[in-house]
Amino acid sequence: MNAILEMRGISKSFTGVKALADVSFTVERGEIHALVGENGAGKSTLMKVLSGVYPHGSYEGAIVFDGQERRFRDIVDSEALGIVIIHQELALIPLLSIAENIFIANPPARRGVIDRGEVHRRTKSLLAKVGLDEAPDTLVTDLGVGKQQLVEIAKALAKDVRLLILDEPTASLNEKDSAALLDLLAEFRAQGIASILITHKLNEVSRIADRITVLRDGRTVDRLDCRAGPVEEDRIITSMVNRDMEHRYPKRNPTAGATMGDTILEVSGWSVHHPEHADRPVIRNVDFRVRRGEIVGIAGLMGAGRTEFAMSLFGRSWGRRISGEVRLEGRPADLSTVRRAIDAGLAYVTEDRKQLGLLLEEDVRANVTLANLRGVSSNSVIDDMKELKVASGYRGRMRIRCASVYQPVGLLSGGNQQKVVLSKWLFTDPKVLILDEPTRGIDVGAKYEIYCIIQELADAGKGVIVISSEMPELLGICDRICVMHDGVFVADFPAAEATQERIMRAIMRKEERRP
């Protein structure tokens, strides 16, 4: 074995809670090593130990890099040796250029003055390596998420990276951008750069990883060598969650709860224009309906208009020149503001739970009741005991794993944060719940629990709309799948007739007809 990294017997505790227990982990030169496990398994903690976020002395064990034991005091020490971590939340400054972002910490200079010509030249060279043809002076805010991810990698290359750590790099990317990023990692492998890939997308792990290490409850529970032969996803899942998952999705019985058939939401002639370019239509005269007790999926490529459609319905949170009619339970609904949309019985779980769905510094209790303060108030004053009772009830019902309802939400795993967001909207007692990418960045065990909650909501007579970029997810949990492309619905399939191939054909047929 030609190891560039060895982590030996790493243990780390937080106020008596063991986050890592005697974990050993090795990475070979020019290897893509996948690190997988449920949220809270210890993956991020292990990488923070490696990168110096948790300095030497705050953990037990040893880090050996390039044949020598290292004692990193901070992230600057690890980066000096070429260990670079790219977090799921990108560390870019939107209103600075690509070049400024790449060299913000250490720009090339002559006699103390930044050499802008050299900055421009080196930026172009780095962008070429990651497959970007944008100009170095392009503002980061003008790039899509996929291209921003490539800028982060270019930034890492500027630091002479030898070991690249990627934490959920494709969580916000579409399938095309995800594939391009994985191809880039394969190119780095050929150049001798080692990578550690943390992801919940097991199909990506199976495709690109040379070896896999599985963590569970802070311990190493499995090591798999993909070079010896294909590794089944079920094997990885079983190691992660310590139980068999014969079915990835709960069995669906759409007649178990309320009687299917009654239309609970009906949208007619809905049109929406871009908020900054009022002459540009984004959603164009669409009709859409959901029946009581039905789970309806909305499929489509990135930019199809799915999120824009959902947000425009929910209190006109997105768009201008919005027109059309919405009926809830057969009656016209006033959705002109978020407050009125909530009062009418609509709820929207955003795809970006950390930025738009939660107050991360507030506790579970405050977040659960946030959208319905009237439900825990008397004479416009919050009743602390009533609020505690409500939050504790949802903690048990939704199986939220937390020390107490007074724990800050920012300290919870992604899956538990998502359960808090769901609890917040369930407390408003909605008739229709829109879920936008409800399992993004969540491990397979937590996904299953979210799927069960979605099914329970439908069985209770709610109308549920699921927007997801993962077609297997839509096929696994929905009763019906509507396909959106370029701001219009182009197909509507009952679950029994839907396949990934039929969905993609519907999209591509529409694409071919465009002028």
Side-chain angles (χ1 to χ4, degrees):
M1 183 179 69
N2 186 19
I4 190 172
L5 170 71
E6 294 180 69
M7 301 183 76
R8 302 171 179 169
I10 303 295
S11 296
K12 172 72 176 171
S13 298
F14 297 96
T15 61
V17 177
K18 203 83 166 178
L20 296 171
D22 196 29
V23 173
S24 294
F25 179 69
T26 63
V27 179
E28 299 176 17
R29 299 177 194 276
E31 174 191 30
I32 299 176
H33 196 129
L35 183 62
V36 302
E38 293 190 271
N39 289 110
K43 307 183 298 296
S44 295
T45 302
L46 185 66
M47 292 301 99
K48 287 178 179 178
V49 168
L50 170 59
S51 59
V53 173
Y54 297 139
H56 178 77
S58 67
Y59 60 87
E60 300 171 16
I63 297 172
V64 177
F65 186 77
D66 203 16
Q68 296 183 38
E69 183 174 349
R70 309 292 181 174
R71 299 181 175 183
F72 300 133
R73 294 166 298 179
D74 51 33
I75 199 167
V76 175
D77 280 356
S78 63
E79 286 189 348
L81 291 178
I83 300 172
V84 181
I85 184 168
I86 299 176
H87 298 280
Q88 184 176 352
E89 289 79 24
L90 302 181
L92 298 174
I93 301 174
L95 295 181
L96 292 184
S97 70
I98 294 174
E100 289 167 331
N101 270 279
I102 289 176
F103 290 105
I104 190 169
N106 189 26
R110 290 182 180 180
R111 298 177 182 177
V113 178
I114 295 175
D115 187 338
R116 297 193 177 276
E118 181 67 6
V119 168
H120 189 275
R121 187 191 65 78
R122 288 177 61 182
T123 300
K124 285 198 72 172
S125 174
L126 291 167
L127 294 181
K129 287 183 179 180
V130 300
L132 271 180
D133 58 4
E134 266 69 18
D137 57 356
T138 302
L139 295 182
V140 164
T141 191
D142 294 331
L143 302 177
V145 177
K147 291 183 177 181
Q148 288 185 21
Q149 188 73 261
L150 294 177
V151 172
E152 277 280 22
I153 294 175
K155 187 176 171 183
L157 293 177
K159 299 172 183 176
D160 296 321
V161 62
R162 301 176 66 200
L163 175 60
L164 182 64
I165 306 166
L166 300 107
D167 190 355
E168 296 289 349
T170 63
S172 300
L173 304 186
N174 59 31
E175 291 184 13
K176 180 181 177 182
D177 287 343
S178 295
L181 179 57
L182 296 181
D183 289 342
L184 183 60
L185 291 185
E187 291 180 24
F188 289 166
R189 174 171 55 194
Q191 297 167 18
I193 298 174
S195 301
I196 299 173
L197 176 64
I198 301 174
T199 181
H200 293 309
K201 296 183 178 180
L202 299 186
N203 60 320
E204 296 178 354
V205 171
S206 302
R207 174 190 162 187
I208 199 70
D210 297 304
R211 290 191 298 153
I212 303 168
T213 294
V214 183
L215 296 185
R216 185 175 69 240
D217 298 330
R219 300 176 183 275
T220 306
V221 296
D222 209 352
R223 295 184 178 89
L224 306 168
D225 192 336
C226 305
R227 297 166 297 190
V231 176
E232 296 291 332
E233 287 186 22
D234 287 349
R235 163 74 185 275
I236 304 172
I237 293 170
T238 300
S239 296
M240 287 173 59
V241 303
N242 196 28
R243 62 182 183 274
D244 291 328
M245 292 192 70
E246 181 181 351
H247 301 290
R248 194 78 58 90
Y249 308 98
K251 186 176 289 186
R252 179 81 179 114
N253 179 13
T255 61
T259 301
M260 293 278 284
D262 299 337
T263 297
I264 192 169
L265 172 70
E266 185 174 8
V267 181
S268 304
W270 196 256
S271 294
V272 183
H273 288 71
H274 196 280
E276 296 175 5
H277 308 283
D279 59 339
R280 177 184 156 199
V282 178
I283 307 299
R284 295 176 291 162
N285 196 37
V286 304
D287 298 330
F288 181 75
R289 64 181 175 83
V290 181
R291 292 176 292 172
R292 190 182 303 278
E294 184 181 33
I295 303 173
V296 178
I298 301 182
L301 302 178
M302 193 75 71
R306 298 169 300 167
T307 292
E308 291 82 356
F309 173 60
M311 291 184 69
S312 66
L313 282 178
F314 186 64
R316 306 196 174 203
S317 302
W318 191 94
R320 293 176 61 187
R321 294 175 56 191
I322 299 173
S323 60
E325 183 182 19
V326 179
R327 301 177 75 87
L328 277 165
E329 296 183 322
R331 294 184 294 274
D334 180 0
L335 309 181
S336 57
T337 67
V338 169
R339 181 71 263 166
R340 288 173 180 172
I342 294 172
D343 291 342
L346 200 62
Y348 171 64
V349 176
T350 173
E351 63 178 330
D352 189 347
R353 60 178 173 268
K354 291 188 176 181
Q355 294 294 325
L356 302 176
L358 295 167
L359 300 177
L360 295 177
E361 295 182 358
E362 295 292 339
D363 55 29
V364 172
R365 170 190 54 87
N367 275 277
V368 166
T369 59
L370 187 62
N372 185 18
L373 292 177
R374 289 180 293 193
V376 291
S377 300
S378 300
N379 298 321
S380 299
V381 177
I382 293 176
D383 185 325
D384 290 339
M385 292 308 297
K386 187 181 291 187
E387 187 177 43
L388 174 61
K389 182 178 179 180
V390 167
S392 298
Y394 277 102
R395 178 193 181 191
R397 174 183 169 187
M398 305 290 281
R399 299 179 289 279
I400 300 171
R401 298 181 182 92
C402 57
S404 75
V405 295
Y406 294 105
Q407 184 175 7
V409 167
L411 299 180
L412 303 184
S413 68
N416 286 302
Q417 288 180 353
Q418 191 70 350
K419 292 177 186 178
V420 173
V421 177
L422 282 168
S423 299
K424 177 181 78 171
W425 289 113
L426 292 183
F427 185 46
T428 67
D429 192 25
K431 300 180 178 75
V432 177
L433 185 65
I434 305 172
L435 306 173
D436 197 347
E437 303 287 358
T439 63
R440 175 173 286 170
I442 294 176
D443 63 75
V444 290
K447 280 185 178 182
Y448 191 88
E449 291 185 334
I450 297 294
Y451 298 149
C452 290
I453 292 168
I454 291 171
Q455 184 164 308
E456 289 168 7
L457 293 172
D459 290 344
K462 309 289 185 185
V464 183
I465 301 168
V466 179
I467 299 170
S468 177
S469 298
E470 297 185 32
M471 277 195 255
E473 179 172 83
L474 294 177
L475 294 168
I477 66 173
C478 296
D479 304 312
R480 185 163 54 89
I481 298 175
C482 299
V483 184
M484 179 171 267
H485 179 73
D486 198 22
V488 297
F489 286 106
V490 297
D492 188 333
F493 299 111
E497 299 176 11
T499 64
Q500 291 194 53
E501 292 75 18
R502 291 194 72 183
I503 291 171
M504 285 308 300
R505 275 201 298 269
I507 293 171
M508 297 316 295
R509 278 199 303 269
K510 185 68 179 180
E511 186 72 25
E512 289 167 2
R513 292 181 192 140
R514 293 181 67 182

